[in-house]
């Protein structure tokens, strides 16, 4: 039978000043608007967005963030024009190729959530190679969400729960939030503390819906290509002044 894991500690304890977050997620939005404002093609905005990923991931480590999760490509992004999707995949290849040595050197573990195996075979191989090379890293964790959709993740987890119950591995009477979370893509990550969305939009866009149940949400006007270490530090400062009660007083 599947045993119930010990509950993960809630950041901020049983309520109070938030302090420093362990796990920060970012919806990276605004690449297209950044390019449009400069009368550049959308790919120019995506290229600058990759530079922002580099800056922010480094800054996150310097600021002591244990896990940084980035929404790189959603399951809905396939609806974009094929040329743009191809450009995005090319940028992902370049990022993986260029960043792997730094990740290894800095002791950063790369995790990927989402159905990345639906990508092209060469890209799947690149992703799995970087994940394997950084698997035993003991520093920060960089999580990239690829072909990810939270509703799809929850449905897949529900199917696995049903299969486990059918096969006699799980007693349905023992199913609770903690057990269900073991079936999610993020099962081995700390609870999400802070969700940031750039570009002024105020929605979660099917990203980490279960995990964001008690996360603090921060919507900033900065377009993603302009987001940097200073912007991240300001976001953490805002988070640190919030009171987290988790349903209590």
């Amino acid at each position: 039978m599947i045993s119930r894991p010990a509950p993960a500690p809630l950041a901020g304890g049983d309520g109070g000043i938030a302090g420093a977050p362990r796990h920060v997620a970012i919806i990276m939005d605004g690449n297209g608007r950044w390019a449009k404002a400069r009368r550049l093609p959308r790919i120019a905005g995506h290229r600058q967005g990759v530079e922002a990923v580099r800056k922010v991931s480094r800054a996150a480590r310097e600021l002591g963030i244990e896990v940084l999760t980035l929404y790189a490509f959603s399951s809905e992004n396939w609806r974009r024009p094929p040329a743009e999707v191809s450009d995005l995949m090319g940028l992902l290849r370049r990022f993986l190729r260029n960043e792997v040595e730094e990740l290894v050197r800095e002791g950063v573990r790369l995790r990927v959530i989402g159905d990345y195996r639906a990508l092209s075979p060469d890209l799947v191989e690149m992703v799995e190679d970087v994940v394997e090379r950084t698997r035993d890293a003991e520093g920060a964790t960089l999580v990239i969400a690829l072909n990810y959709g939270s509703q799809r993740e929850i449905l897949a987890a529900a199917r696995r729960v049903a299969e486990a119950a059918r096969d006699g591995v799980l007693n349905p009477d023992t199913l609770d939030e903690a057990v269900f979370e073991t079936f999610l893509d993020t099962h081995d990550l700390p609870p999400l503390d802070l969700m940031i969305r750039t570009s002024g939009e105020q929605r979660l866009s099917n990203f980490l819906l279960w995990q964001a149940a008690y996360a603090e949400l921060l919507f900033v006007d900065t377009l993603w290509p302009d987001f940097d270490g200073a912007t991240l530090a300001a976001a953490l400062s805002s988070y640190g002044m919030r009171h987290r009660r988790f349903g209590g007083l």
Side-chain angles (χ1 to χ4, degrees):
M1 304 294 286
I2 293 178
S3 60
R4 174 177 174 169
L10 294 172
D14 56 0
I17 296 295
R22 295 178 63 197
H23 185 178
V24 176
I26 304 178
I27 300 174
M28 306 177 292
D29 194 19
N31 291 346
R33 275 166 282 172
W34 184 93
K36 183 177 180 181
R38 291 159 178 78
R39 298 183 179 180
L40 297 171
R42 287 178 62 84
I43 185 59
H46 293 313
R47 289 193 187 106
Q48 197 63 31
V50 171
E51 291 303 314
V53 168
R54 293 190 178 98
K55 293 177 184 177
V56 172
S57 60
R58 292 166 185 164
R61 298 196 293 273
E62 294 170 359
L63 291 165
I65 295 172
E66 184 178 330
V67 178
L68 177 66
T69 300
L70 302 176
Y71 204 8
F73 190 85
S74 77
S75 52
E76 291 78 23
N77 284 155
W78 294 108
R79 301 171 185 168
R80 296 189 177 188
E84 182 170 348
V85 171
S86 179
D87 287 339
L88 289 169
M89 294 301 141
L91 289 174
L92 176 59
R93 287 185 183 87
R94 187 180 306 173
F95 175 82
L96 293 170
R97 187 181 304 115
N98 294 344
E99 297 303 307
V100 59
E101 296 303 331
E102 178 172 336
L103 295 176
V104 172
R105 185 172 63 252
E106 296 293 323
V108 177
R109 180 175 67 130
L110 180 71
R111 275 284 313 278
V112 176
I113 59 174
D115 185 18
Y116 72 90
R117 292 183 179 86
L119 305 181
S120 63
D122 70 303
L123 196 44
V124 170
E125 184 177 353
M126 290 183 70
V127 167
E128 293 182 341
D129 177 66
V130 179
V131 168
E132 181 60 32
R133 289 186 62 182
T134 63
R135 184 179 303 280
D136 297 324
E138 298 181 352
T141 298
L142 175 63
V143 183
I144 303 294
L146 289 175
N147 195 26
Y148 174 88
S150 190
Q151 292 176 327
R152 180 184 293 180
E153 175 195 22
I154 294 169
L155 280 172
R159 290 191 188 99
R160 288 193 288 271
V161 167
E163 290 168 356
R166 179 197 62 198
D167 296 341
V169 178
L170 172 68
N171 180 352
D173 292 337
T174 67
L175 182 64
D176 60 10
E177 292 91 338
V179 171
F180 188 81
E181 285 178 351
T182 66
F183 291 87
L184 296 173
D185 291 356
T186 54
H187 62 89
D188 59 346
L189 299 174
L192 180 62
D193 295 312
L194 174 63
M195 171 89 77
I196 302 169
R197 182 172 186 141
T198 63
S199 87
E201 301 291 346
Q202 298 187 22
R203 57 182 178 273
L204 298 185
S205 294
N206 200 18
F207 186 46
L208 300 179
L209 301 180
W210 176 283
Q211 297 84 347
Y214 276 102
E216 294 295 314
L217 307 180
L218 182 63
F219 302 103
V220 299
D221 291 332
T222 307
L223 300 176
W224 175 247
D226 293 326
F227 200 95
D228 57 16
T231 322
L232 179 61
L236 298 194
S237 178
S238 174
Y239 168 87
M241 294 185 290
R242 296 188 181 188
H243 289 261
R244 305 189 73 191
R245 298 181 178 85
F246 301 99
L249 298 177

